[in-house]
Amino acid sequence: MTKHLTKRKLDKTRNDRLYFDSYSDVTIHEEMIADHVRTNTYRTAITKNSQYIRGKVVLDVGAGTGVLSMFCVQAGAKKVYAVEACSIAEQAEKIVKHNNMEDRIEVVRGTLETVDLPEMVDVIVSEWMGYALLHESMLNSVLYARDKWLKAGGLILPSKAELYIAPISDPVVQDRLYFWYTVKDRYGVDMTCMSDFARRCIMNSDIIVNSVTTEDVLSHPAHFAELDLYSIKVEELRSVKGQFRCESFGSAAVNAFCIYFTVTFSCADTQQALVLSTSPFKPETHWKQAVLYLDTPVDVVQDTVFAGTVSMFPSEKSTRHICVHVDYTIGEQERQSKTFSIPDWSSEAQP
Amino acid sequence: MTKHLTKRKLDKTRNDRLYFDSYSDVTIHEEMIADHVRTNTYRTAITKNSQYIRGKVVLDVGAGTGVLSMFCVQAGAKKVYAVEACSIAEQAEKIVKHNNMEDRIEVVRGTLETVDLPEMVDVIVSEWMGYALLHESMLNSVLYARDKWLKAGGLILPSKAELYIAPISDPVVQDRLYFWYTVKDRYGVDMTCMSDFARRCIMNSDIIVNSVTTEDVLSHPAHFAELDLYSIKVEELRSVKGQFRCESFGSAAVNAFCIYFTVTFSCADTQQALVLSTSPFKPETHWKQAVLYLDTPVDVVQDTVFAGTVSMFPSEKSTRHICVHVDYTIGEQERQSKTFSIPDWSSEAQP
């Protein structure tokens, strides 16, 4: 059955992974730049803050292809230090020259914690967010940069991150669990006895990054944590937690929670801040949502209360990997808890 | 950028892989059984051969959930030995009992090469095909079973496999290469200098398993190899090769070849054999097609000749992994050759 294992792993989805591994150098950046919600929100936030950027010095943490650094030059930055640890920095160099910005942008190859800058900066810009906000995120590097390189009263873009949770009903999982009841009609063989095995396999403790459809969200999302990038300390990232309470819109079979985040850019020239949202109620971004499956689906009715606490902390195996612990009650059900994580093999991703 | 690497790898496709790894136990089998082209063709072939199966002894090589074994019992088999090396054999046991076939089907846990059967068999049935037919395939086990356990004059289902190749134009790749020319209009930053880097990343030497759309196939596919399961020797699998010649339907930018296979079941009660096809011109199967990218797109006109040889052989790193070498000319272009393979990490799949 090794064949089947690999066969399965090489199907479309596996194959896409084949793509995105083999081509990750370009594909990662293609995807991020193609994410117009992400890229346009950053561009707008930088433009709206041009009065604070014009003639100033900017630090771009994890610059990638350097697109945010170039937005800062478009906004009048005097100098931008584009710090990037990966080989994509070579492409950033080319792009900067190609756009005649080499006099304004200095691509600095290295990790933020190790590079040496010739001066303090007025502004820090960074697109540091990972899945579920904190998975493999660069927030610690941004805070390090803030403490070491940002002038007093300097600007951080974005300046705030918030986390939300909502119960959902994933129809794909429902269909997959039901599949085994359809086999007899298809082929005259009764495979209903596979359903429990299927449920255990599918509703496990892996964090699944997927697009949650608006209709599948069963309540108003609940805000459970907020990070102020001007004041939060690195140590506080060891445990980001909060309480939540939601009430079901109607009757449904809940089979998961979804977690998503927003980041906020304070805007100089207007009272209203700019928000980059990864909510399932907003246009899709490449972050999608983080889906955490219950052990088994639970039928709820209108106004059923979902209440509990969410705690996010680094995995013991890899501090870059996030774990999510959810302690919750659904209606009158007894309290339950489940800890979710990104499977080990995703550490393949680490250079 | 480690964050971005992982972030990318955890996007929908990565996440699907997350699914299919974590849940592979069930997902592999769910996908194969849900592939009605695959499963119905086997079922029909077994039914049509019932006169050779009724009252006879059958060996199912790589039985998985045991669905083919149960089809054989439906066709009147006296006894079926369902040989399965993986833990899914435990589920097969349950399913067999659940269908009251435990007196007819004996699930034998182990590899075909090591299990001991109490008797010779009249029929061998196996769904042994991997991607591009031979990647991680169980064909060698089927041939081993044929030589050791099949009675003289016994039946093998399927009895023949054939390989085909055709030039294609993958629009996704064209779009991805063009993407970098669209960035300036989107964000006012010129990233056209990324296109060569993107091409090198995207059009590499990985075998990509993907669904090829009929309209993207640029010529009639060319048959380049045939394997007769009654006569072929295991040694012959060390190099499966053949020549091909195709003529372009019209003008297009060819950027890849696609390889696919068919397997044929001889049918007792009819002259027309039954064919399970993975052709892009036929309904999709979970095998999809194997796509091999050229180093760079080539513009062709109607009747441009694609000619060359295809050679498939086991990877030196892992004999279960297939490599494909294509030596070809396109029109008047000078002869070129490229060797493709499944990236190493897919050996994760091996238990």
Side-chain angles (χ1 to χ4, degrees):
Chain A
M1 296 299 297
T2 302
K3 162 204 131 198
H4 288 161
L5 269 168
T6 309
K7 196 163 74 171
R8 187 62 192 79
K9 289 166 140 247
L10 277 170
D11 94 326
K12 179 171 183 308
T13 57
R14 171 63 167 181
N15 153 50
D16 286 344
R17 198 204 145 213
L18 220 150
Y19 247 81
F20 299 132
D21 282 6
S22 323
Y23 314 149
S24 55
D25 324 50
V26 75
T27 305
I28 297 159
H29 302 286
E30 177 186 330
E31 182 192 53
M32 291 191 295
I33 292 167
D35 180 345
H36 60 84
V37 172
R38 166 196 178 268
T39 309
N40 276 328
T41 307
Y42 269 86
R43 190 186 188 196
T44 305
I46 289 166
T47 306
K48 283 180 176 289
N49 280 284
S50 55
Q51 69 184 85
Y52 292 114
I53 294 172
R54 193 171 300 108
K56 297 293 175 58
V57 179
V58 179
L59 169 56
D60 180 353
V61 180
T65 53
V67 65
L68 301 186
S69 296
M70 290 182 276
F71 290 162
C72 291
V73 169
Q74 289 173 342
K78 178 179 71 179
K79 182 79 178 180
V80 183
Y81 296 101
V83 177
E84 174 51 59
C86 297
S87 61
I88 193 67
E90 294 156 23
Q91 301 300 320
E93 289 270 15
K94 285 182 197 165
I95 296 166
V96 166
K97 283 192 183 64
H98 195 64
N99 288 270
N100 305 309
M101 293 181 178
E102 61 266 50
D103 58 329
R104 304 278 206 92
I105 299 175
E106 181 177 338
V107 177
V108 183
R109 178 82 184 265
T111 63
L112 194 287
E113 290 76 3
T114 58
V115 298
D116 190 32
L117 303 182
E119 61 187 316
M120 298 289 280
V121 304
D122 305 289
V123 181
I124 290 175
V125 61
S126 179
E127 194 278 84
W128 53 267
M129 301 83 76
Y131 288 116
L133 186 66
L134 297 174
H135 180 70
E136 296 267 338
S137 97
M138 292 191 301
L139 181 54
N140 47 6
S141 297
V142 173
L143 301 185
Y144 183 95
R146 174 198 66 190
D147 299 340
K148 184 173 182 182
W149 298 111
L150 187 64
K151 292 177 188 170
L155 181 68
I156 304 177
L157 296 173
S159 57
K160 185 173 70 174
E162 292 170 282
L163 283 154
Y164 299 82
I165 186 170
I168 68 167
S169 177
D170 182 337
V172 173
V173 164
Q174 294 297 82
D175 292 349
R176 294 190 61 201
L177 296 178
Y178 184 68
F179 171 77
W180 300 100
Y181 292 87
T182 69
V183 177
K184 187 164 188 179
D185 287 345
R186 294 170 189 237
Y187 310 118
V189 172
D190 186 338
M191 292 201 175
T192 54
C193 58
M194 282 284 283
S195 59
D196 188 58
F197 172 69
R199 184 187 52 74
R200 292 197 311 275
C201 290
I202 295 169
M203 301 181 74
N204 68 10
S205 61
D206 290 333
I207 293 171
I208 304 294
V209 176
N210 214 342
S211 292
V212 174
T213 313
T214 307
E215 307 79 69
D216 299 334
V217 181
L218 303 180
S219 80
H220 293 293
H223 179 286
F224 70 87
E226 177 170 327
L227 312 179
D228 177 339
L229 270 65
Y230 286 108
S231 61
I232 191 171
K233 299 187 180 60
V234 177
E235 308 81 76
E236 296 177 67
L237 298 179
R238 288 190 203 131
S239 173
V240 173
K241 64 191 295 182
Q243 297 188 316
F244 68 93
R245 187 179 191 285
C246 320
E247 293 179 5
S248 178
F249 289 140
S251 296
V254 56
N255 56 25
F257 286 108
C258 91
I259 286 179
Y260 68 89
F261 65 89
T262 62
V263 294
T264 302
F265 302 84
S266 54
C267 284
D269 65 355
T270 157
Q271 286 315 307
Q272 88 194 63
L274 203 61
V275 176
L276 167 51
S277 175
T278 64
S279 164
F281 295 101
K282 290 288 199 297
E284 182 174 324
T285 71
H286 74 287
W287 286 284
K288 302 185 173 65
Q289 289 83 34
V291 178
L292 317 174
Y293 291 105
L294 311 181
D295 289 334
T296 181
V298 177
D299 291 318
V300 300
V301 295
Q302 186 177 334
D303 300 332
T304 296
V305 173
F306 301 83
T309 59
V310 187
S311 162
M312 301 173 74
F313 51 93
S315 154
E316 287 176 4
K317 294 191 186 113
S318 162
T319 56
R320 302 186 58 85
H321 284 206
I322 196 75
C323 292
V324 180
H325 180 80
V326 187
D327 189 69
Y328 64 95
T329 57
I330 299 177
E332 300 308 309
Q333 278 205 342
E334 66 181 19
R335 178 165 292 273
Q336 296 187 57
S337 67
K338 187 169 180 178
T339 303
F340 303 86
S341 63
I342 304 288
D344 283 347
W345 48 255
S346 79
S347 58
E348 287 163 29
Q350 301 192 21
Chain B
M1 295 299 300
T2 301
K3 160 204 133 199
H4 288 160
L5 269 169
T6 308
K7 194 162 74 170
R8 188 61 193 78
K9 286 167 143 248
L10 276 170
D11 92 328
K12 180 172 182 310
T13 58
R14 170 63 169 183
N15 154 49
D16 286 343
R17 197 203 147 213
L18 219 154
Y19 247 80
F20 299 130
D21 282 8
S22 323
Y23 314 148
S24 56
D25 324 50
V26 75
T27 305
I28 297 161
H29 301 287
E30 177 186 331
E31 182 191 52
M32 291 191 295
I33 291 166
D35 180 344
H36 60 84
V37 173
R38 165 195 178 268
T39 309
N40 276 328
T41 307
Y42 268 87
R43 190 186 187 195
T44 305
I46 289 167
T47 306
K48 284 179 177 288
N49 280 285
S50 56
Q51 70 184 81
Y52 291 115
I53 294 172
R54 192 174 298 107
K56 298 293 175 58
V57 179
V58 179
L59 169 57
D60 180 354
V61 179
T65 54
V67 66
L68 301 186
S69 297
M70 289 183 277
F71 290 161
C72 290
V73 169
Q74 289 173 341
K78 178 179 71 180
K79 182 78 181 181
V80 183
Y81 297 101
V83 177
E84 175 51 58
C86 298
S87 61
I88 192 68
E90 294 157 23
Q91 302 300 321
E93 289 270 16
K94 285 184 196 164
I95 296 166
V96 166
K97 283 193 181 64
H98 194 67
N99 288 272
N100 305 309
M101 293 182 178
E102 60 268 48
D103 58 330
R104 303 281 204 88
I105 300 174
E106 181 177 337
V107 177
V108 183
R109 178 82 183 265
T111 63
L112 193 285
E113 290 75 3
T114 57
V115 298
D116 191 32
L117 304 181
E119 61 187 314
M120 297 290 278
V121 304
D122 304 287
V123 181
I124 289 175
V125 61
S126 179
E127 194 277 84
W128 53 268
M129 299 84 73
Y131 288 117
L133 186 66
L134 297 174
H135 181 69
E136 297 267 338
S137 98
M138 292 192 303
L139 180 54
N140 47 5
S141 297
V142 173
L143 301 185
Y144 183 96
R146 174 198 67 190
D147 299 339
K148 184 173 182 182
W149 298 111
L150 186 64
K151 292 178 187 169
L155 181 69
I156 304 177
L157 296 173
S159 56
K160 185 172 71 174
E162 292 169 283
L163 283 154
Y164 299 82
I165 187 170
I168 67 167
S169 178
D170 182 337
V172 173
V173 164
Q174 295 297 82
D175 291 349
R176 294 190 61 201
L177 296 179
Y178 185 69
F179 171 77
W180 299 100
Y181 291 88
T182 69
V183 177
K184 187 164 188 179
D185 287 345
R186 295 171 188 234
Y187 310 119
V189 172
D190 186 337
M191 292 200 176
T192 53
C193 58
M194 283 283 284
S195 60
D196 188 59
F197 172 69
R199 183 186 53 73
R200 292 197 311 273
C201 290
I202 295 169
M203 300 182 73
N204 68 10
S205 62
D206 290 334
I207 294 171
I208 305 294
V209 176
N210 213 344
S211 292
V212 174
T213 312
T214 306
E215 307 78 68
D216 299 335
V217 181
L218 303 180
S219 80
H220 293 292
H223 179 285
F224 69 88
E226 178 169 327
L227 311 179
D228 177 340
L229 271 66
Y230 287 108
S231 61
I232 190 169
K233 298 184 179 63
V234 178
E235 308 81 76
E236 295 177 69
L237 298 179
R238 288 189 203 132
S239 173
V240 173
K241 63 192 296 180
Q243 297 187 313
F244 69 93
R245 187 181 191 285
C246 318
E247 293 179 4
S248 178
F249 288 140
S251 297
V254 57
N255 55 25
F257 287 108
C258 91
I259 286 179
Y260 68 90
F261 64 89
T262 63
V263 295
T264 303
F265 303 83
S266 54
C267 285
D269 64 356
T270 157
Q271 287 315 307
Q272 90 194 63
L274 202 61
V275 176
L276 168 52
S277 175
T278 64
S279 165
F281 295 101
K282 291 287 198 304
E284 182 173 324
T285 72
H286 75 286
W287 286 284
K288 302 186 172 66
Q289 290 82 33
V291 178
L292 317 175
Y293 291 106
L294 311 182
D295 289 334
T296 182
V298 177
D299 290 319
V300 299
V301 296
Q302 186 177 334
D303 300 331
T304 296
V305 174
F306 302 83
T309 60
V310 186
S311 164
M312 301 173 76
F313 52 93
S315 154
E316 287 177 4
K317 293 189 185 114
S318 163
T319 57
R320 302 187 60 85
H321 284 206
I322 197 74
C323 294
V324 179
H325 179 80
V326 187
D327 188 68
Y328 64 95
T329 56
I330 300 178
E332 299 309 309
Q333 277 203 342
E334 66 182 19
R335 177 165 293 273
Q336 297 187 57
S337 67
K338 188 170 180 179
T339 304
F340 303 85
S341 63
I342 304 289
D344 282 349
W345 47 257
S346 79
S347 58
E348 287 162 30
Q350 301 192 22

